[in-house]
Amino acid sequence: MPLYDEIPPYDSDRYPPEQTISVLRPYISDERFERMARVVSHRTRHVIPVVEGSYDVGNAMAILRTAEGLGYAEVHMVETVAQVEKGKRSSKGAEKWLDVHEWPSSDECLTHLRQRGYRVAVTAVDGTTSLPDLDFSTPLAVVFGNELEGVSAHTMERADIRFRIPMLGFVESYNVSVAAALVLYQAFLARPEPSPSSDNRDRILLAEYMYRSVRAARHLLDRARAEEDM
């Protein structure tokens, strides 16, 4: 369920992407449209951040902001008590441009991601793999735990990979939002060059961004449909 719910979610079946782009294009400046197209071309689902049990809305929203800024398209949030409305200031609206899923349990979230072909990696102080050696070449879901206990024991047991973030000081762990930023940037550096989507996903995403950017988008699209049916 998307966190950004001020407008109804974009429905690509009701509003086909090409029609959406055509109808809404006159209401978006050339500069804005070009930026949207550029952002879409760099969006990736190769790595998916998962936030488990966050107590602190500021941390949760900071992770969303980092993920959006580095080009990630999707974030999953599990059993988090973060209040989205209170945290929008920290995320600077990042949730508007992300596909954010909320889950009541880690089991449901991890089962969903495994069915989609993702391995599961978790941050752990005693991880056997160091972050610089983490393999990002195949789809990977990275779980970040809460501010007190870290990743839950149950999720640790289900993980395919346990990795540690190098630390050379006296403290034993980073703040969760800092840890997420370090990991997501490492994954960003390892990311292959973007290539056009083969399943029309890029066009759907561009249409969705345009839909979210035009205040009267639903009205304009419904009117266009009605005119076609006349």
Side-chain angles (χ1 to χ4, degrees), residues 7-224:
I7 59 173
Y10 173 65
D11 184 344
S12 60
D13 292 326
R14 179 177 176 82
Y15 306 118
E18 293 306 327
Q19 181 189 49
T20 299
I21 294 169
S22 175
V23 170
L24 300 183
R25 181 64 184 85
Y27 301 92
I28 297 175
S29 69
D30 291 344
E31 181 180 3
R32 181 70 169 169
F33 180 78
E34 289 171 5
R35 183 176 182 184
M36 286 182 179
R38 185 170 65 252
V39 168
V40 167
S41 72
H42 288 91
R43 280 294 191 242
T44 180
R45 285 182 167 82
H46 192 70
V47 172
I48 292 182
V50 178
V51 183
E52 182 189 54
S54 175
Y55 300 134
D56 189 311
V57 64
N59 283 332
M61 295 302 103
I63 293 172
L64 292 184
R65 186 177 180 186
T66 297
E68 199 284 328
L70 289 173
Y72 297 93
E74 188 173 332
V75 177
H76 291 244
M77 305 186 79
V78 180
E79 298 177 317
T80 176
V81 297
Q83 296 298 313
V84 175
E85 288 301 322
K86 294 180 181 178
K88 283 187 176 178
R89 184 175 180 181
S90 297
S91 66
K92 298 295 185 182
E95 73 282 351
K96 180 178 180 180
W97 309 111
L98 289 167
D99 186 5
V100 182
H101 300 266
E102 293 181 290
W103 297 91
S105 74
S106 297
D107 274 341
E108 292 174 81
C109 177
L110 298 186
T111 296
H112 167 81
L113 291 169
R114 287 189 190 283
Q115 289 174 344
R116 291 172 55 186
Y118 288 86
R119 296 172 301 145
V120 175
V122 298
T123 55
V125 174
D126 61 349
T128 56
T129 300
S130 182
L131 174 58
D133 300 321
L134 189 58
D135 180 12
F136 292 105
S137 64
T138 58
L140 188 69
V142 184
V143 183
F144 302 100
N146 67 46
E147 295 77 7
L148 298 179
E149 295 89 7
V151 175
S152 69
H154 183 65
T155 297
M156 283 280 189
E157 292 175 359
R158 292 197 62 186
D160 301 298
I161 303 166
R162 295 172 61 171
F163 70 95
R164 66 186 184 279
I165 302 174
M167 302 192 72
L168 302 178
F170 290 108
V171 296
E172 295 184 354
S173 64
Y174 292 103
N175 170 279
V176 64
S177 65
V178 173
L182 292 170
V183 174
L184 295 179
Y185 188 70
Q186 182 75 25
F188 166 79
L189 294 177
R191 184 182 306 172
E193 287 297 315
S195 57
S197 172
S198 60
D199 59 1
N200 202 35
R201 183 177 292 172
D202 286 355
R203 299 300 282 177
I204 293 174
L205 189 57
L206 177 60
E208 180 172 358
Y209 286 172
M210 294 175 72
Y211 170 85
R212 294 185 176 199
S213 297
V214 177
R215 186 177 299 274
R218 291 192 78 200
H219 170 73
L220 294 168
L221 293 170
D222 287 339
R223 185 177 68 183

